[in-house]
Amino acid sequence: KLKIHFEQKGGLAGITSVAEIDTSHPSFSGEAHEIQSMVNSSKFFSLPPKITTKDAAARDHFTYTITMESDDGQKHTVETSDVSKPLELNSLISYLRKKAEPVRKKP
């Protein structure tokens, strides 16, 4: 089982979106295997904590922060962006972006 915290920031509008996923929760029971498969194929727990690039042309890109905690106590955070994310993370980030919802700013 996995607990995942996903945060997407930036883009042209500068909106922050967040997703919280707990694969042991019944609402994710049908997707738990797919999520675990994406995590395994991305080799998430062996990725470096920061995957960045110095691309000045990428000011309007999204940045992603993904924190995962496995039921065996393993915890890892990876921060990356549209321009620096490794190919192995594409399907996982795509899935998490679909689950993310914009954070409402307090008035």
Side-chain angles (χ1 to χ4, degrees):
K1 308 287 183 234
L2 288 169
K3 288 184 181 175
I4 304 169
H5 174 80
F6 171 76
E7 189 172 276
Q8 172 185 293
K9 291 182 181 176
L12 289 172
I15 295 171
T16 297
S17 296
V18 172
E20 296 286 342
I21 293 171
D22 183 343
T23 60
S24 66
H25 191 275
S27 63
F28 290 102
S29 65
E31 300 171 55
H33 182 72
E34 177 189 359
I35 295 167
Q36 187 66 57
S37 177
M38 286 186 282
V39 171
N40 292 347
S41 65
S42 73
K43 298 178 179 60
F44 183 84
F45 286 97
S46 61
L47 291 172
K50 270 195 184 292
I51 306 169
T52 57
T53 184
K54 300 272 189 247
D55 189 345
R59 284 188 292 269
D60 297 328
H61 66 279
F62 286 112
T63 59
Y64 308 104
T65 304
I66 308 165
T67 301
M68 280 195 208
E69 195 170 348
S70 63
D71 57 354
D72 64 3
Q74 220 179 352
K75 188 173 183 178
H76 187 53
T77 299
V78 172
E79 188 177 310
T80 190
S81 70
D82 280 333
V83 293
S84 62
K85 68 182 176 194
L87 288 174
E88 308 90 275
L89 275 179
N90 280 346
S91 60
L92 181 62
I93 287 175
S94 177
Y95 172 83
L96 293 170
R97 286 182 70 179
K98 289 179 194 148
K99 298 293 182 185
E101 298 193 7
V103 175
R104 306 265 179 252
K105 291 199 166 66
K106 294 178 177 72

